Amino acid sequence: SQQGEEDPQALSIQEGENATMNCSYKTSINNLQWYRQNSGRGLVHLILIRSNEREKHSGRLRVTLDTSKKSSSLLITASRAADTASYFCATDPNKLVFGAGTILRVKS
Amino acid sequence: GAGVSQSPRYKVAKRGQDVALRCDPISGHVSLFWYQQALGQGPEFLTYFQNEAQLDKSGLPSDRFFAERPEGSVSTLKIQRTQQEDSAVYLCASSLHRGNEKLFFGSGTQLSVL
């Protein structure tokens, strides 16, 4: 069973716009990670945020974590067509458990 | 190697056939994971190795599934007497240290059982 659930299931935006994806989870965590998957490929690690952190940035990515609400959000700013992919959140504490993902399509 | 390598890339099996899927993790990576990904879904955990020790196999769906990593590097996932419901992409991932932070994934093996 999957612990994390991403929202929305699918998102379509224009190039240059920002994209926001949300993740909710059920149990206590040590960290939360976001991964990207291009069609037919493996997952690529984007960013990790620890349970004692509230916000983290990496390039055009901004991740927030609210442990009281058991939720996280991933913001991609100034999106590009190359950002088109599926995005997954993943949580521990024991084995890494992935959600079903958000499919992002960036139209040029 | 430069990344995690999986072979074969595609595998078609007849129902009842045994299959073996290979994973070459990044050299020196301690942890190795196998995941199963159905179409349109996120990866589902199968099993975890720390070096040659299989520390968690709670995700293996049945006793037809078996994984090994005898020398702490290359790993093989074996599925005996394949069923149609085994059709999925099998992903291997490795990480440098113990635990599950920052996994590096291979491109997967797409298994189709006819």
Side-chain angles (χ1 to χ4, degrees):
Chain A
S1 63
Q2 295 175 321
Q3 152 149 260
E5 291 189 7
E6 290 87 348
D7 168 59
Q9 287 186 319
L11 181 61
S12 183
I13 59 174
Q14 290 293 137
E15 202 166 29
E17 292 180 340
N18 296 342
T20 300
M21 289 159 271
N22 303 297
C23 168
S24 60
Y25 57 92
K26 298 173 184 174
T27 64
S28 298
I29 61 171
N30 295 320
N31 65 65
L32 185 145
Q33 302 176 54
W34 285 91
Y35 287 79
R36 182 189 75 227
Q37 185 177 35
N38 292 88
S39 181
R41 307 293 295 177
L43 284 76
V44 175
H45 180 267
L46 296 176
I47 195 165
L48 179 151
I49 185 165
R50 301 197 183 280
S51 60
N52 61 353
E53 297 176 307
R54 291 296 169 258
E55 187 171 311
K56 201 163 184 179
H57 297 253
S58 177
R60 293 185 296 112
L61 305 180
R62 176 188 155 214
V63 170
T64 62
L65 179 64
D66 187 336
T67 53
S68 67
K69 296 181 179 178
K70 291 188 169 56
S71 67
S72 173
S73 68
L74 171 67
L75 169 67
I76 304 174
T77 60
S79 63
R80 306 166 181 169
D83 294 329
T84 294
S86 293
Y87 291 81
F88 297 91
C89 67
T91 55
D92 56 359
N94 294 316
K95 55 201 175 201
L96 206 57
V97 179
F98 288 84
T102 292
I103 300 171
L104 173 66
R105 181 185 172 209
V106 181
K107 295 177 284 186
S108 57
Chain B
V4 178
S5 177
Q6 291 187 247
S7 61
R9 185 74 177 89
Y10 302 94
K11 177 68 178 179
V12 178
K14 293 183 179 179
R15 191 170 50 184
Q17 187 179 351
D18 296 350
V19 298
L21 312 180
R22 178 187 169 105
C23 173
D24 284 83
I26 295 173
S27 178
H29 276 200
V30 168
S31 297
L32 185 144
F33 305 80
W34 283 98
Y35 283 83
Q36 180 190 60
Q37 187 174 26
L39 189 64
Q41 297 297 313
E44 293 267 4
F45 171 84
L46 293 177
T47 187
Y48 163 57
F49 289 86
Q50 188 179 105
N51 296 309
E52 69 278 5
Q54 189 174 21
L55 298 187
D56 188 343
K57 55 181 181 179
S58 62
L60 296 177
S62 76
D63 58 7
R64 297 186 294 105
F65 287 70
F66 172 76
E68 60 183 4
R69 193 187 186 199
E71 297 178 358
S73 55
V74 171
S75 177
T76 303
L77 176 66
K78 298 179 180 178
I79 308 173
Q80 297 177 322
R81 304 181 303 281
T82 52
Q83 305 292 316
Q84 282 190 319
E85 61 262 28
D86 299 335
S87 296
V89 175
Y90 290 86
L91 295 166
C92 175
S94 68
S95 66
L96 179 60
H97 301 295
R98 300 172 184 175
N100 54 27
E101 295 188 3
K102 195 172 182 179
L103 271 58
F104 291 82
F105 280 82
S107 294
T109 293
Q110 184 171 327
L111 174 64
S112 298
V113 182
L114 306 178

